[in-house]
Amino acid sequence: MGPGFYVIAILGCADGSAGCTPVATLPTRYESRDACQAGTELALGASGDFDFPTLLAQCRPGKAPSAEHSGDRVPDGARRG
């Protein structure tokens, strides 16, 4: 069984999509991954306050964060930059 909901995380990237750092997690909850993915472009448009050359929006399961850090891989989702 999958997660109960998804949230959009905004990541700031200094060099393209390498070395991305989470800068915000939006409060809106989505019931499916598809619904979350549909909201990523709008989320990026509203997230212009971060000082990074590239911003990414990634849908993440809405559960307790794991100890594993996924900053080395390119997130799926929308991209601005």
Side-chain angles (χ1 to χ4, degrees):
M1 182 176 200
F5 62 93
Y6 290 87
V7 294
I8 296 176
I10 303 297
L11 295 95
C13 305
D15 184 21
S17 53
C20 296
T21 303
V23 294
T25 301
L26 304 184
T28 304
R29 294 181 176 195
Y30 298 90
E31 292 187 29
S32 70
R33 183 169 184 83
D34 288 341
C36 183
Q37 286 294 119
T40 58
E41 289 294 328
L42 184 60
L44 278 178
S47 298
D49 296 342
F50 301 106
D51 189 24
F52 286 90
T54 302
L55 292 175
L56 302 174
Q58 179 186 47
C59 290
R60 294 185 173 181
K63 58 182 181 181
S66 69
E68 183 179 329
H69 178 63
S70 62
D72 293 335
R73 73 175 188 80
V74 176
D76 56 344
R79 177 184 201 154
R80 189 185 92 203

